[in-house]
Amino acid sequence: MSFAKILPLIFTCLFVPATLAESFTFTAIPDENESQLKTRFNKVAKYLEAELGVEVNYVPVKSYAAAVTAFRNNQVQLAWFGGLSGVQARRLVPGSQAIAQGYEDQYFKSFFIANASTPLEPSTNFPNLNDYTFTFGSKGSTSGRLMPQFYIERNMGKQVKDIFTRIGFSGDHSRTIAQVEAGAYQVGAVNYKVWETAVANGTVDTSKVKVIWETPAYPDYQWTVRADADQRFGKGFTEKLTKVLLEMKDPDLLASFPRQSFVEADNADYEPIESVATAIGLLD
């Protein structure tokens, strides 16, 4: 090919607007096993791509901390965070915004579950957990660690290290259920949505593990977008993204979260999470 023919191609490549050449990427905290996450969020990526008119890619991560790091390092511009991981990410990237949450995330809760071999029974009163083995989920989980630890220490009057004979961190809610069901730990804390889905799908044996207590409601999961999204993807992009998330109505997409719908969210909604995390030493 002659230089005269190549020159227009070079010129075109050099002057393609960055917003057209760049893909929009998002991640999500790994609160369930990896195959479930890929199924959930690859569908979401296709939906966002069709509605936003830009290439959208889901980037899986191995831990809650990795999700926060990817957001901080601008490897992703959007993330489906839990309450605590969202607070952490927004502190690291000032100006970032919580823009949407599941309807249920306004009133989220954790279940405490116990192996059937224990004498612990379902109750509205906080259980006596002295001298049991206990597993949280991820160290950065709101529903699997932060709020359960807060309620344990508030009700028991001492730190978790002085209550349990052994403490574990399973890494995600599905593993917490499996470990308590198997008796690897006697008691654990789990996201109530993951528990309800496991029961509905028949993936947990409720003759071996049972819910013994549930926490009061607190704000949890949310979509958080980086502060520079409009600068990178065009004026009004954040507003359009928010609208697209709020208008996600496909029952199949919503069931993958699972949420009945998405509603508006704001950073101020998560101030209670930040306060609790600071109080029990999970934020500097």
Side-chain angles (χ1 to χ4, degrees):
M1 184 182 292
S2 68
F3 181 77
K5 291 182 178 180
I6 293 174
L7 186 59
L9 297 177
I10 296 174
F11 182 85
T12 300
C13 291
L14 287 173
F15 290 94
V16 169
T19 54
L20 296 181
E22 191 171 18
S23 64
F24 182 66
T25 57
F26 75 96
T27 194
I29 53 171
D31 57 354
E32 294 187 73
N33 70 57
E34 191 170 341
S35 63
Q36 288 173 315
L37 292 174
K38 286 182 178 178
T39 299
R40 286 167 61 180
F41 292 108
N42 283 335
K43 289 190 293 186
V44 174
K46 290 180 181 178
Y47 167 78
L48 292 177
E49 187 167 280
E51 296 297 321
L52 294 172
V54 297
E55 180 183 350
V56 177
N57 293 303
Y58 161 61
V59 178
V61 291
K62 294 294 186 181
S63 68
Y64 285 51
V68 174
T69 298
F71 190 85
R72 180 193 64 193
N73 292 344
N74 205 13
Q75 295 167 291
V76 298
Q77 294 79 53
L78 174 73
W80 176 241
F81 283 129
L84 177 58
S85 49
V87 166
Q88 292 169 325
R90 291 190 296 274
R91 284 162 64 103
L92 290 168
V93 188
S96 297
Q97 303 172 52
I99 55 174
Q101 61 185 326
Y103 176 83
E104 295 86 342
D105 293 303
Q106 302 170 96
Y107 325 103
F108 216 75
K109 56 190 175 182
S110 300
F111 284 164
F112 282 29
I113 58 175
N115 186 272
S117 66
T118 72
L120 296 166
E121 293 294 336
S123 176
T124 56
N125 296 320
F126 193 83
N128 183 348
L129 298 176
N130 280 314
D131 300 324
Y132 287 104
T133 59
F134 191 97
T135 184
F136 294 103
S138 167
K139 291 183 179 180
S141 172
T142 306
S143 54
R145 194 274 178 88
L146 173 68
M147 298 311 294
Q149 181 174 336
F150 170 73
Y151 283 111
I152 290 167
E153 293 182 347
R154 190 178 76 170
N155 283 280
M156 300 291 291
K158 50 188 174 180
Q159 294 184 329
V160 289
K161 66 182 179 63
D162 299 318
I163 298 170
F164 303 115
T165 59
R166 180 163 52 93
I167 295 173
F169 292 92
S170 69
D172 69 52
H173 301 288
S174 299
R175 282 198 288 267
T176 295
I177 295 172
Q179 289 179 355
V180 176
E181 181 180 329
Y185 289 89
Q186 294 169 294
V187 191
V190 65
N191 170 327
Y192 88 105
K193 277 292 184 183
V194 175
W195 172 267
E196 290 181 344
T197 300
V199 171
N201 293 341
T203 56
V204 56
D205 186 343
T206 53
S207 71
K208 296 180 179 178
V209 57
K210 57 195 171 185
V211 175
I212 58 169
W213 189 75
E214 63 180 61
T215 67
Y218 54 83
D220 202 352
Y221 291 71
Q222 89 292 154
W223 290 105
T224 289
V225 66
R226 281 182 58 92
D228 57 359
D230 281 15
Q231 179 181 343
R232 294 181 62 179
F233 297 96
K235 184 178 179 181
F237 182 83
T238 297
E239 183 179 354
K240 183 177 181 180
L241 172 64
T242 303
K243 184 173 184 289
V244 166
L245 291 170
L246 296 177
E247 291 179 353
M248 188 186 295
K249 305 299 183 185
D250 184 336
D252 183 50
L253 279 178
L254 292 171
S256 69
F257 282 90
R259 299 294 187 272
Q260 72 177 52
S261 64
F262 287 100
V263 297
E264 291 184 15
D266 186 84
N267 293 359
D269 297 333
Y270 296 88
E271 288 176 358
I273 297 297
E274 187 166 7
S275 296
V276 169
T278 301
I280 65 174
L282 295 187
L283 286 177
D284 295 330

